[in-house]
Amino acid sequence: MSAETQLALDCPLPIADHPQILLAHGGGGRLMHQLIERVIGPAFANPNFDTRHDGAQLILGGARLAFSTDSYVVQPLFFPGGDIGTLAVNGTVNDLAMCGARPCYLSAGFILEEGLPVETLWRVVQSMRRAADAAGVQFVTGDTKVVDRGKGDGIFINTAGIGVIQHPGKVGPAQVQVDDVLLLSGDLGRHGIAIMAEREGLAFESTIVSDCAPLADLALGLLDAGVAVHCMRDLTRGGLASALVEIAEAAGVEIALDERSIPVYEEVHGACEILGLDPLHVANEGRFVSFVAPADAERALALLRAHPLGAGAAVIGHVEARGYPLVTLRSQIGATRIVAMLSGEQLPRIC
Amino acid sequence: MSAETQLALDCPLPIADHPQILLAHGGGGRLMHQLIERVIGPAFANPNFDTRHDGAQLILGGARLAFSTDSYVVQPLFFPGGDIGTLAVNGTVNDLAMCGARPCYLSAGFILEEGLPVETLWRVVQSMRRAADAAGVQFVTGDTKVVDRGKGDGIFINTAGIGVIQHPGKVGPAQVQVDDVLLLSGDLGRHGIAIMAEREGLAFESTIVSDCAPLADLALGLLDAGVAVHCMRDLTRGGLASALVEIAEAAGVEIALDERSIPVYEEVHGACEILGLDPLHVANEGRFVSFVAPADAERALALLRAHPLGAGAAVIGHVEARGYPLVTLRSQIGATRIVAMLSGEQLPRIC
């Protein structure tokens, strides 16, 4: 048997349903989850690699650090409320903050398509600098590659980031407890709808602006105040629903949500109805959910609401029980339904 | 004046010669240097960002760390001696080693093109794991994005890496001294020629295999042995020539090379003649140059040669004087010429 045949046989079979990469493999939902759990995760398996968290928590040279990376392929490059550069800073800053780390340093890797106007790159780089200044981080290293015309799409950016963990407790799905209260930092769906509207040329009564923002001050404010935060997650690809299903599966818990308490702007609601989207699946770039001990929930809500980026914060549910992983939603009219991870691809290249 | 017009006016004018990105902006030579120095560098300027070094040296939470990133866009994905996965590990491991750091942790960011066979991804990921094991590093965090068919090229990979700096002295262009001896760790040009041969379907008498390899043990071996290493640089895009011109400019020194002492395999020489390439400009992925105090040069050479990856090491020149930055080469026949950075694009998408 040739090495080639052996490799083909060893390739994990569940992937045989989809022998080729689909857009949905990057969508933050069920297919992406499978690809990571079955193809990438097993190869990279080691005690420091957790496929179910957006960043690694490490001890290195005596320091407690968080390390995270994301690539950004959003289309269009510029949209109401930001651009690919803003996103590339805030996305990685937020992943570090969700590990309970103060973001410090970023790297920038550019993949440029031949023919891109240099001025476009220059505008994006200026955005990255402004976003880095606003988030209190520095770019310290980078790389630039160019691919032939038709082999890229203007600009792709990867950022990786390092942060310092200043608080003793771990923050992650393994720390989730029964009765934890779920706090959402603001209204859902504006980033995804802003991108879709720009891409599809949809006009709404007022322009829907992305919520893209750095969450480190808001999230670390809870830890600094001594709130017992067990887990935090920013609600990017796949939205609130995919994030909570992933956490429920990683923690082995049932999460109960109350739809009436989940803030969604009326325009976003309307756009979702037109586009056939569920706001719970739409991507956000400046929203996160935190799992907080019940005794601290009221104080945590007040802390979030006192910050401009958390003014719309709300208690949206709680951890019901340990056992079968499940997310349920009590709807506006009082019925209860099961919330599923995003399946298929609704919103490709949203970040 | 609109914000748009203001931006256009502020865009640095030297770029007006090339208002659009060319493949050469990613080639490791003069145009890439200009793009980074004029567009990206000024925006990201801060005391920790050095555009002239492949990684950042940082102090964080009391630890001395190196941090580096590279994106990999090589075509073809598989070539004699490695693949894009091997490259994505060794390239970043080597950048960390060149900062005098022991590589520890890597991130992986994948940008996949819709339609890519999952098995191809799987083979690449297996390579990454083997290369990580061989280099003694762990993948600890990652990200996967998918772009539409025709907007990518199979697989692009970004890796970022963190290493620990264990030795007190700084290693970089600013530390270069007059009379420093230049040691090259082995023969030049095999990676670039292996890729070109594969891409163009050229057949040579024997297959030229990429030199792609992790250099941390070899490079850190010098530091561990107490050799006064002032600067190290791996010789990737742009080759030995571009690396040395960049160091000469950053350090403000004249470097003198002796062509007779620079090892190049006969097949590589022949291929370079056919393809019209200068071996000094061809990319390597397992070769580095070190600037060493003269008193330590002989010992350093012996240390390099004692390691399998440094068996072909040689003394290739020295730092002649401080002042006007220049690299000169005394040729086989005794004439002296000036060595220039790669200009234009000879070998696109070599890494």
Side-chain angles (χ1 to χ4, degrees), chain B residues 231-301:
Chain B
C231 183
M232 298 191 280
R233 186 67 59 98
D234 57 336
L235 309 173
T236 57
R237 285 180 289 174
L240 177 69
S242 300
L244 291 185
V245 172
E246 200 170 84
I247 292 171
E249 290 180 356
V253 296
E254 181 183 333
I255 295 169
L257 300 176
D258 182 351
E259 191 175 25
R260 288 165 305 180
S261 63
I262 299 175
V264 180
Y265 274 19
E266 209 179 307
E267 286 102 326
V268 171
H269 233 308
C272 281
E273 287 196 350
I274 293 168
L275 296 164
L277 301 174
D278 180 345
L280 298 190
H281 283 145
V282 177
N284 314 273
E285 289 292 338
R287 298 290 179 252
F288 75 108
V289 68
S290 47
F291 290 68
V292 170
D296 287 352
E298 203 169 319
R299 194 160 61 94
L301 184 63

Side-chain angles (χ1 to χ4, degrees), chain B residues 1-43:
Chain B
M1 190 185 295
S2 74
E4 205 82 342
T5 322
Q6 182 59 45
L7 280 170
L9 287 178
D10 289 345
C11 185
L13 279 181
I15 297 298
D17 298 345
H18 300 290
Q20 297 190 321
I21 293 290
L22 308 174
L23 278 172
H25 281 119
R30 185 56 70 191
L31 277 178
M32 185 172 108
H33 199 71
Q34 284 178 1
L35 186 75
I36 293 171
E37 294 279 317
R38 295 177 188 175
V39 177
I40 299 174

Side-chain angles (χ1 to χ4, degrees), chain B residues 82 91 172 312 315:
Chain B
V315 170

Side-chain angles (χ1 to χ4, degrees), chain A residues 61-101:
Chain A
R64 290 181 69 218
L65 304 176
F67 183 31
S68 187
T69 192
D70 264 323
S71 297
Y72 300 86
V73 300
V74 67
Q75 268 299 331
L77 296 176
F78 301 88
F79 50 83
D83 59 37
I84 190 172
T86 334
L87 214 53
V89 172
N90 290 337
T92 296
V93 159
N94 293 350
D95 283 345
L96 293 172
M98 296 301 108
C99 297

Side-chain angles (χ1 to χ4, degrees), chain A residues 21 43 129 144 148 237 349, chain B residues 43 116 129 144 148 237 349:
Chain A
I21 292 291
R129 181 235 189 70
T144 305
D148 338 40
R237 285 179 288 174
R349 300 183 59 186
Chain B
L116 175 81
R129 182 236 189 71
T144 306
D148 338 38
R237 285 180 289 174
R349 301 183 58 185

Side-chain angles (χ1 to χ4, degrees), chain A residues 58 77 90 97 153 223 255 283 295 309 337:
Chain A
L58 307 166
L77 296 176
N90 290 337
D153 198 10
L223 292 170
I255 294 170
L309 292 172
R337 69 170 171 97

